[in-house]
Each structure stands twice: as C-alpha cells, then as structure tokens.
C-alpha cells in the first residue's frame, strides 16, 4: 500500500479539502456556537457519542469482518465536511450553523477520532497494538486536519478578496479530489470490491440514513427550529469520508485499504441519501401551514 497515491496523494488531497474549509472560516464562526447553544450542543453530542454507539451496535449486529468494522467506526468518528455545508445551503438549512459545527467538529475530532479508533481496534482486532493511532500518529491527524484549516483561515483574515476568489476553485477541486480518492481506493481493491460492497453496503446505508435521521430528529424533538435542524442533520449525516480514507490507507497511520472501504462506499452513497433527505424535509416544510 506504500504507493504515491497513499503516501503523498491522499494527504495532499485532504489538505486541499481542509484548506477549502478554512478559506470560508473566521474566528467568529467558532464564537457563533454561543449564539446557537442548543442545536450546537445536540449536534456535537450526537457526533461524539450517539453515532459511535449506534455504529458499534450496527457492526456487531451485522457481524462485519474486523477490518471493515474498524473502518465503520473510523467513519462514524469522522467529522462533517464541506459537502454538508453545500447540501444545507441547497435545502434551506442554517448554513452559518453548519459552518460553525464543521469548524468545531473538526477540532474535536482530533481528540475523539483516535480514541474511538483505538477502542474499536482493541475490540475487533487481534493486533490492535500495531494498528491503533498512537500519540505520534495523533499528531499527524492533527496536522492533516487542522494545519490546512488554519492556513485557510489566515488567508481569509489577511486577504479576504483572495480567499473569495479561491473559494470556488478550491471547492471544485475538492469534489474532483474526492472522486479521485474514492476511485483510487476502489481500484486498488478491485479484485475484492464486490465482496466488500456486499459485506458493508447494507451497514453503510443503514448508518447513513440513521445519521441523517438522528441529526435532524434529535434537535426537532428538543424544539430546535427547522432550519437549524436541517443544518444539524446534514452535519451529522454527511461525514468527511476523505479524512476516513486518508487515515485508513496512509502507510504512516492505519495502513489498511480494507478499512477504507466503508468510507469509500459511503462517499458515493451519501450524495444520493443526503439529496433524498433534503427533498423529504423540504417537502414536509412546504406541507406545514405557516
């Protein structure tokens, strides 16, 4: 697996995506969580606690292969990404809340993601000691996730016009990169991909639909307005699959293409499920009398 794609290409690809996220962020986005305490708190609890527990129960119930089970847990621990912001915008969500949740989630994931991956590796794998995310690897995750975001934020703060000009090209490049990363992962495992998709496809679909439902339903049950709930649903339901793939296949991290398969399948499936979810909640909104 120690190829240019995994050793160099993937970190660069993820760096571009996280740079694009940073170009749209300011310090005020982190402060904004105070303005939306209830939806932000509910969404963060769902992301950090509810989804990992849900995913663990799902992979145990479906009796997934150990590597695929850890890959599912890695996906569950990954924060939302820029795609969540885009879908929230398309379907009437509160985009400012989305941006805030993405920013805070990305920072929290530096702590929560290694913990969840290590616990799941210890439970599912016999050689967890050699595959877990030790402290030096956690620092690499920190660099992969937060350094490009910080650079993007610095550009936004110092050169806002340049950040505005770069935002759209970087987003387009991010989509191209995401497709290339998923395609590369599937191609590397093309001899086994059919078996993997059969094995993990149902788990990914159930997890994705449940994530969207929980992300939207939990805030609504707590009395959060619809726009903020749509934002939370997209944030919780659309994970950063590129981050999960990068951590899974990078030789210096988990070094396992098989662990990347759930995120690769999810990266394709989420576009359709998120669109269906968006149409559903939009249609419900139109049917509710004002």
């Amino acid at each position: 697996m120690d190829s240019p794609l995994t050793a160099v290409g993937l970190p660069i690809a993820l760096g571009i995506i996280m740079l694009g996220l940073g170009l749209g962020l300011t310090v005020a986005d982190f402060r904004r969580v105070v303005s939306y305490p209830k939806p932000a708190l509910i969404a963060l609890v769902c992301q950090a606690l509810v989804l990992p527990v849900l995913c663990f129960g799902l992979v145990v119930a479906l009796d997934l292969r150990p590597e695929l089970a850890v890959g599912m847990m890695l996906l569950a621990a990954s924060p939302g990404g820029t795609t969540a912001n885009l879908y929230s915008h398309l379907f009437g969500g509160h985009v400012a809340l989305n941006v805030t949740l993405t920013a805070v989630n990305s920072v929290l994931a530096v702590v929560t993601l290694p913990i969840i991956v290590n616990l799941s590796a210890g439970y599912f794998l016999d050689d967890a000691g050699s595959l877990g995310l030790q402290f030096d690897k956690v620092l690499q995750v920190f660099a992969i996730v937060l350094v490009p975001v910080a650079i993007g934020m610095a550009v936004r703060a110092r050169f806002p016009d340049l950040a505005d000009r770069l935002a759209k090209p970087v987003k387009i490049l991010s989509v191209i990169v995401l497709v290339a990363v998923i395609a590369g992962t599937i191609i590397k495992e093309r001899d086994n991909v059919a078996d993997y998709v059969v094995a993990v496809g149902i788990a990914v679909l159930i997890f994705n639909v449940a994530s969207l439902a929980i992300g939207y339903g939990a805030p609504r049950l707590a009395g959060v307005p619809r726009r903020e709930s749509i934002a939370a649903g997209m944030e919780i339901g659309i994970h950063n699959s590129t981050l999960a793939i990068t951590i899974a296949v990078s030789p210096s991290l988990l070094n396992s293409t098989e662990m990347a398969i759930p995120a690769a399948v999810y990266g394709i499936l989420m576009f359709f499920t998120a669109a269906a979810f968006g149409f559903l909640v939009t249609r419900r909104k139109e049917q509710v009398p004002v």
Side-chain angles (χ1 to χ4, degrees), residues 267-280:
I268 298 171
L269 189 65
M270 70 179 184
F271 290 107
F272 302 99
T273 53
F277 165 76
F279 280 117
L280 177 62

Side-chain angles (χ1 to χ4, degrees), residues 8-281:
V8 179
L10 277 173
I12 291 176
L14 183 62
I16 292 172
I17 292 173
M18 300 310 290
L19 174 66
L21 173 61
L23 287 171
L25 291 177
T26 65
V27 175
D29 293 316
F30 289 88
R31 294 178 184 150
R32 196 181 290 120
V33 70
V34 179
S35 303
Y36 311 104
K38 183 187 285 187
L41 180 61
I42 293 172
L44 294 175
V45 169
C46 287
Q47 173 64 53
L49 297 176
V50 177
L51 291 194
V53 172
L54 169 70
C55 188
F56 178 79
L58 181 63
V59 298
V60 170
L62 294 178
D63 194 26
L64 292 185
R65 291 171 52 173
E67 289 78 9
L68 294 178
V70 175
M72 284 291 299
M73 295 301 296
L74 170 61
L75 176 64
S78 299
T82 53
T83 306
N85 302 343
L86 173 61
Y87 271 79
S88 183
H89 171 70
L90 291 175
F91 293 104
H94 200 300
V95 179
L97 177 59
N98 264 108
V99 172
T100 300
L101 290 174
T102 299
V104 176
N105 258 334
S106 296
V107 174
L108 291 179
V110 175
V111 177
T112 59
L113 189 148
I115 292 173
I116 292 170
V117 170
N118 285 340
L119 289 175
S120 58
Y123 183 87
F124 291 109
L125 301 174
D126 295 331
D127 54 348
S130 62
L131 285 175
L133 294 175
Q134 288 80 33
F135 180 72
D136 59 331
K137 296 182 179 181
V138 172
L139 294 180
Q140 292 182 49
V141 175
F142 178 88
I144 289 172
V145 174
L146 296 187
V147 171
V149 173
I151 293 173
M153 290 181 65
V155 173
R156 161 67 59 184
R158 293 288 301 276
F159 310 103
D161 292 339
L162 175 61
D164 289 336
R165 290 196 299 270
L166 288 175
K168 186 174 181 179
V170 170
K171 286 181 180 178
I172 294 173
L173 183 59
S174 297
V175 173
I176 295 173
V177 164
L178 175 60
V179 173
V181 166
I182 293 171
T185 303
I186 292 175
I187 289 171
K188 282 179 65 65
E189 288 289 314
R190 57 187 176 276
D191 294 336
N192 302 313
V193 70
D195 293 337
Y196 288 158
V197 170
V198 170
V200 82
I202 296 298
V204 168
L205 178 60
I206 294 173
F207 176 71
N208 187 200
V209 172
S211 298
L212 289 164
I214 290 171
Y216 176 78
R220 289 297 286 162
L221 289 174
V224 173
R226 187 177 298 275
R227 286 189 67 213
E228 286 80 357
S229 297
I230 292 174
M234 293 301 183
E235 181 66 27
I236 301 306
I238 303 178
H239 294 262
N240 191 337
S241 56
T242 311
L243 173 62
I245 293 172
T246 302
I247 292 174
V249 304
S250 293
S252 59
L253 295 172
L254 295 178
N255 195 29
S256 171
T257 305
E258 190 172 355
M259 289 184 189
I261 293 298
V265 174
Y266 179 91
I268 298 171
L269 189 65
M270 70 179 184
F271 290 107
F272 302 99
T273 53
F277 165 76
F279 280 117
L280 177 62
V281 295

